[in-house]
Amino acid sequence: SVAQQPDFPGLADFTGQWYHTGQWPHEPVDFAGKTVAVVGTGSSGIQAIPRIAVAAAQLYVLQRTPNYSMPAHNRPLTDHEFNTAIAEFTQRRRICEQSDAGVPHPPPTQATFDVTAEQRRARYEQGWQRGGINSLSAAFTDFFTDERANLQAQEFARDKIREIVDDPDTAALLSPRHH
């Protein structure tokens, strides 16, 4: 367990091991054969859960509010990709500085409803395949300023959740509609 214990009622009486993602130990944690509970599905939780699930005998996820993340598609770069990134660093940096999200992608030039539903879906899919923090928000100029436009991107993300979650009831819990 971590050295500094937060003030959670009942934690002092817990006899098992516990870890906080913000104070994770430097040595590996062995979850093999253990029953594990993860409290919360924030950014750290959604990164830790799949790795813990592979090792643990049983995993329980205690969730107040569903959360999802966009695929980042992180992977080792080929030598060619690495060399290209180095050679184009100054240009990429300039694009990032001019970008609302600070990423090396040109800003969108069209509003959500300036294109057909099929074109919208294709643009969202292109961003989803690219991955990263602005995979959907970079598709159209009005993502942050038009609630109807933002709802289109939300529904695309809900469709993606429904594609990968086999149980329809679980998929519905993970993709609520807030009005």
Side-chain angles (χ1 to χ4, degrees):
S1 61
V2 292
Q4 186 177 352
Q5 182 169 319
D7 185 25
F8 295 121
L11 185 57
D13 299 326
F14 181 67
T15 58
Q17 296 174 315
W18 63 271
Y19 303 91
H20 187 286
T21 55
Q23 299 174 331
W24 202 260
H26 293 285
E27 63 277 354
V29 177
D30 184 11
F31 293 109
K34 296 183 179 177
T35 298
V36 178
V38 174
V39 179
T41 54
S43 58
S44 296
I46 61 177
Q47 292 177 67
I49 288 166
R51 294 197 173 251
I52 294 170
V54 169
Q58 181 70 45
L59 174 63
Y60 295 92
V61 177
L62 308 173
Q63 170 179 275
R64 181 191 67 207
T65 306
N67 199 355
Y68 69 94
S69 65
M70 300 296 189
H73 302 298
N74 292 335
R75 61 182 170 70
L77 299 178
T78 66
D79 288 342
H80 175 72
E81 290 169 321
F82 180 80
N83 291 333
T84 300
I86 296 299
E88 297 175 353
F89 178 80
T90 302
Q91 177 186 359
R92 290 172 55 90
R93 185 74 181 142
R94 190 173 328 112
I95 293 170
C96 289
E97 289 170 350
Q98 296 169 354
S99 162
D100 290 338
V103 295
H105 303 290
T109 59
Q110 292 178 297
T112 301
F113 298 106
D114 288 348
V115 300
T116 67
E118 294 78 23
Q119 291 169 320
R120 233 183 341 268
R121 181 151 185 89
R123 186 118 12 122
Y124 291 143
E125 185 63 40
Q126 180 182 24
W128 189 270
Q129 293 306 316
R130 184 185 71 243
I133 190 169
N134 73 336
S135 56
L136 298 182
S137 63
F140 298 103
T141 58
D142 53 356
F143 177 87
F144 294 110
T145 59
D146 182 329
E147 186 173 359
R148 286 180 43 241
N150 188 275
L151 288 170
Q152 296 292 307
Q154 289 179 39
E155 196 53 37
F156 176 85
R158 287 185 193 98
D159 287 345
K160 288 297 191 181
I161 292 168
R162 288 187 287 267
E163 283 178 17
I164 64 170
V165 178
D166 294 331
D167 177 52
D169 292 334
T170 301
L173 289 170
L174 294 172
S175 55
R177 287 179 176 81
H178 297 287
H179 302 291

